[in-house]
Amino acid sequence: KAGVTQTPRYLIKTRGQQVTLSCSPISGHRSVSWYQQTPGQGLQFLFEYFSETQRNKGNFPGRFSGRQFSNSRSEMNVSTLELGDSALYLCASSFSQGSVTGELFFGEGSRLTVL
Amino acid sequence: QKEVEQNSGPLSVPEGAIASLNCTYSDRGSQSFFWYRQYSGKSPELIMSIYSNGDKEDGRFTAQLNKASQYVSLLIRDSQPSDSATYLCAVFTGGFKTIFGAGTRLFVKA
């Protein structure tokens, strides 16, 4: 069974640009969560999607957005990049049932560097 | 108060010893509890999940949950150098959000 696939793995952008990251979940998983990981803040929750609906959003500015497609693949977008957006962005999929999101399975992440 | 708190460590134990990792959480409505291991430069991987009070054992790992005290722990028996990693406590708080602690770095000395 294929794992969670994230693309691109590495990218370098400059301040003010925008970036789109992609995530393909494990087959059969309909829940996709996104996290930002930095050395100082650890893993910070960005948002969670299930069946194309955002069910929760973390405490990030509106520059961070996401969406989920009918095949459960998800994308996140960061507009007007700032130096502080440099981080590892992790996608995790889960076999969510009802009101419970279970175990998370992470992709290898997309490492974003903003210059 | 952080939602999920862990001692950042580092925690250093000799090979063969028991490593004890602790975590507290603030939301009493939390439903599910997890431990993830993250090696340097890698993404987190699930090692244990626990949903009800008590102990749950899986090989050398034992997770303990006490909802009254809002406390989760992970014991690693017969610690090996390959167990050296950062261990992340995670709590599903409801609202389809899993919150992670900052992680405890564990070093197992050969």
Side-chain angles (χ1 to χ4, degrees), chain B residues 2-3 15-17 23 39-40 43 46 48-49 54 59-60 62 67 69 71 75-76 86 96 100-102 106-107 109:
Chain B
K2 291 185 178 179
E3 294 181 83
E15 183 176 359
C23 170
Y39 292 113
S40 180
S43 57
L46 179 72
M48 289 288 285
S49 58
R60 296 187 296 112
T62 299
K67 289 187 177 180
S69 301
Y71 177 87
L75 299 177
I76 306 175
T86 296
F96 312 109
F100 285 78
L106 173 65
F107 292 103
K109 298 175 293 185

Side-chain angles (χ1 to χ4, degrees), chain B residues 86-108:
Chain B
T86 296
Y87 289 80
L88 302 166
C89 174
V91 177
F92 178 71
T93 62
F96 312 109
K97 181 170 70 172
T98 299
I99 301 299
F100 285 78
T104 298
R105 287 184 297 156
L106 173 65
F107 292 103
V108 181

Side-chain angles (χ1 to χ4, degrees), chain B residues 26-45:
Chain B
S26 60
D27 187 344
R28 284 193 172 274
S30 299
Q31 303 173 29
S32 311
F33 307 85
F34 309 93
W35 284 98
Y36 289 81
R37 177 177 62 199
Q38 186 173 26
Y39 292 113
S40 180
K42 300 293 186 181
S43 57
E45 58 176 333

Side-chain angles (χ1 to χ4, degrees), chain A residues 33 35 37 42-43 45 48 55-58 88 90 96 98-109, chain B residues 31-32 34 36 38 41-46 48-49 51 56 88 92 94-102:
Chain A
S33 300
Y35 289 84
Q37 187 173 36
L43 271 164
F45 174 78
E48 192 266 2
R55 299 196 293 188
N56 206 334
K57 187 179 192 304
L88 179 66
L90 289 162
S96 177
S99 62
V100 178
T101 294
E103 302 154 347
L104 297 177
F105 296 87
F106 285 88
E108 293 184 298
Chain B
Q31 303 173 29
S32 311
F34 309 93
Y36 289 81
Q38 186 173 26
K42 300 293 186 181
S43 57
E45 58 176 333
L46 179 72
M48 289 288 285
S49 58
Y51 301 95
K56 179 182 178 183
L88 302 166
F92 178 71
F96 312 109
K97 181 170 70 172
T98 299
I99 301 299
F100 285 78

